[in-house]
């Protein structure tokens, strides 16, 4: 049986993990050499310098972390993980010179993934997604956002969201579902985008929300997506249901989506290559996270950088995510995104690490439970077999071995800790 699917094989959710180096900014501003973490009932009960460990914890099972560097469990805060098929043929079209917009207007793009997703049963869709989730989990992801948006009808959006929920249950990982019914116009609504938005707002969203399938609501606000006015209609429908919003904003052009999203208290604005100064101000005032998606920037060979220096100066929290999707970001490595965020966007390593931990958690409204190693938080942390935590961003296509503790249990053991008796 796959180890992920067999929680009974995991060591207990109680114990002391010692012989660890805590990375800076995970439980305090400075790194903590020779640290220990105490887990009780799946939560962090104590964290600090090993020598200060209270005697009352000495009776718990002791796990030797073998000098590993430790970060909080990673959070991938923007993915389109559940879909059918792949789009390698578009890759060839783009190499031959076609732009993302041209591919989309030629009937490719998102709509071609919609056809492939609609063709699969719920079980087939689940099976297609499992290896993708496993790849992310093997690299330390403990919480993940999964969007719908390749169904574009009540039945098929429901199918995607149900698969996302089931993945969370089967793999024991936190899954936040985001309804992205307004991702593209389905072919049967060609030329009738206002009618489709009405369907999204009046039927799809209320029904799926009532079924408990929606944690947040997103829109693709773009010239090849939906207008600002249509985006606002969807936001109003979300607000009426008490659901938080986020936005695919200013990816290809400045539509003013970020300022609108900020007015609705958005959790995040994502992509934001063309974000304006007004957008930055609005996001800062609303506490909206800027989600940077270097995989899409790279794949589309974009050259228009998000305004990193201005976001930094304004103090807008920056997250980093895979944006995993079959069209513009077919990556399954959040560590590769760390590298690209540093190399392409000039983030510092600490900024990039915050971007896949506590800032990513904030982009999902999970800041009280994820993205930090602190007392009371679920015990989600990653032990990395590296000599310097900067190696997480430094290697290019090389994954340092890691062992992942999720809710206090050793869920992935790439370092072989279990075999060595930890
Ligand atoms: O985040 N921009 C829109 N949505 C996705 C792309 C989806 C696709 O091409 O299938 C994105 O990049
Ligand atoms: Fe996306």
């Amino acid at each position: 049986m796959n180890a992920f699917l067999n929680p009974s094989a995991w060591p207990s959710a109680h114990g002391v993990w010692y012989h660890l180096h805590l990375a800076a900014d995970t439980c305090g501003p400075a790194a903590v050499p020779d640290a220990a973490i105490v887990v009780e009932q799946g939560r962090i009960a104590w964290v600090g310098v090993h020598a200060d460990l209270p005697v009352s914890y000495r009776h718990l099972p002791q796990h030797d972390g073998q000098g590993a560097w430790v970060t909080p469990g990673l959070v991938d805060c923007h993915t389109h993980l559940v879909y059918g098929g792949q789009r390698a043929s578009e890759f060839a079209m783009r190499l031959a010179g076609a732009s993302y917009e041209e591919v989309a207007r030629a009937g490719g793009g998102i709509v071609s993934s919609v056809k492939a997703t609609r063709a699969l049963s719920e079980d087939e869709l689940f099976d297609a997604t499992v290896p993708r989730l496993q790849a992310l989990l093997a690299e330390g992801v403990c919480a993940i956002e999964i969007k719908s948006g390749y169904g574009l009808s009540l039945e098929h959006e429901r199918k995607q969201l149900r698969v996302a929920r089931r993945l969370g249950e089967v793999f024991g990982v936190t899954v936040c579902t985001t309804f992205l019914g307004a991702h593209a116009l389905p072919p049967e609504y060609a030329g009738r985008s206002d009618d489709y938005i009405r369907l999204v707002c009046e039927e799809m969203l209320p029904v799926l929300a009532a079924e408990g399938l929606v944690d947040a609501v997103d829109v693709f606000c773009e010239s090849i997506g939906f207008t600002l006015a249509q985006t606002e209609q969807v936001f109003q429908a979300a607000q009426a249901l008490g659901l938080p919003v986020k936005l695919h904003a200013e990816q290809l052009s400045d539509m003013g989506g970020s300022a609108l999203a900020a007015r609705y208290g958005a959790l995040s604005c994502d992509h934001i290559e063309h974000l304006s100064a007004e957008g930055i101000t609005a996001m800062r005032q609303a506490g909206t996270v800027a989600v940077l998606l270097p995989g899409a920037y790279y794949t589309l060979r974009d050259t228009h950088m998000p305004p990193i220096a201005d976001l930094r100066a304004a103090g807008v929290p920056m997250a980093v995510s895979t944006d995993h999707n079959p069209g513009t970001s077919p990556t399954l490595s959040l560590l590769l995104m760390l590298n690209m965020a540093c190399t392409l966007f000039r983030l510092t390593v600490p900024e990039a690490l915050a971007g896949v931990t506590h800032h990513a958690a904030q982009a999902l409204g999970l800041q009280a439970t994820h993205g930090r190693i602190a007392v009371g938080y679920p015990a989600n942390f990653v032990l990395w077999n590296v000599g310097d935590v900067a190696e997480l961003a430094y290697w290019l296509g090389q994954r340092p071995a890691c062992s992942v503790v999720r809710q206090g249990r050793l869920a992935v053991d790439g370092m072989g800790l279990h075999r060595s008796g930890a």
Side-chain angles (χ1 to χ4, degrees), residues 113-163:
S113 291
V114 171
K115 282 199 197 95
T117 302
R118 287 180 174 178
L120 297 186
S121 70
E122 192 173 311
D123 285 346
E124 288 168 337
L125 200 50
F126 179 86
D127 291 344
T129 309
V130 163
R132 299 195 279 261
L133 180 64
Q134 283 179 317
L136 291 168
L137 299 185
E139 223 187 35
V141 168
C142 292
I144 182 169
E145 187 250 23
I146 301 179
K147 301 176 194 292
S148 68
Y150 291 123
L152 309 187
S153 69
L154 177 59
E155 175 195 354
H156 296 291
E157 289 285 300
R158 174 190 282 132
K159 181 175 70 181
Q160 273 195 285
L161 293 168
R162 284 172 56 94
V163 167

Side-chain angles (χ1 to χ4, degrees), residues 147-206:
K147 301 176 194 292
S148 68
Y150 291 123
L152 309 187
S153 69
L154 177 59
E155 175 195 354
H156 296 291
E157 289 285 300
R158 174 190 282 132
K159 181 175 70 181
Q160 273 195 285
L161 293 168
R162 284 172 56 94
V163 167
R165 279 274 186 263
R166 199 167 129 203
L167 288 165
E169 285 154 19
V170 170
F171 288 89
V173 61
T174 304
V175 171
C176 293
T177 56
T178 297
F179 172 66
L180 179 56
H183 192 197
L185 200 57
E188 61 275 17
Y189 275 84
R192 297 188 293 135
S193 65
D194 282 336
D195 289 348
Y196 180 64
I197 289 295
R198 209 167 301 125
L199 178 78
V200 164
C201 296
E202 292 173 11
E203 191 182 330
M204 290 161 68
L205 178 54

Side-chain angles (χ1 to χ4, degrees), residues 78 80 147 248 271 323:
H78 178 142
H80 309 248
K147 301 176 194 292
H248 278 74
H271 288 287
D323 187 19

Side-chain angles (χ1 to χ4, degrees), residues 286-360:
T288 299
V289 176
V291 178
L292 307 173
L293 304 171
Y297 179 89
Y298 165 84
T299 301
L300 297 176
R301 303 176 72 228
D302 203 342
T303 51
H304 199 291
M305 280 243 295
I308 304 295
D310 296 340
L311 287 164
R312 184 185 286 132
V316 174
M318 293 183 279
V320 175
S321 168
T322 60
D323 187 19
H324 176 84
N325 75 74
T328 63
S329 195
T331 176
L332 287 164
S333 174
L334 193 51
L335 293 189
L336 182 59
M337 299 305 103
L338 277 187
N339 176 274
M340 288 187 178
C342 295
T343 303
L344 297 176
F345 292 166
R346 291 284 171 237
L347 259 59
T348 65
V349 171
E351 281 175 336
L353 286 172
V356 295
T357 55
H358 52 272
H359 287 161

Side-chain angles (χ1 to χ4, degrees), residues 261-280:
R263 271 201 277 126
Y264 281 81
L267 289 172
S268 69
C269 291
D270 304 39
H271 288 287
I272 53 166
E273 277 81 353
H274 295 261
L275 181 63
S276 66
E278 298 74 52
I280 293 175

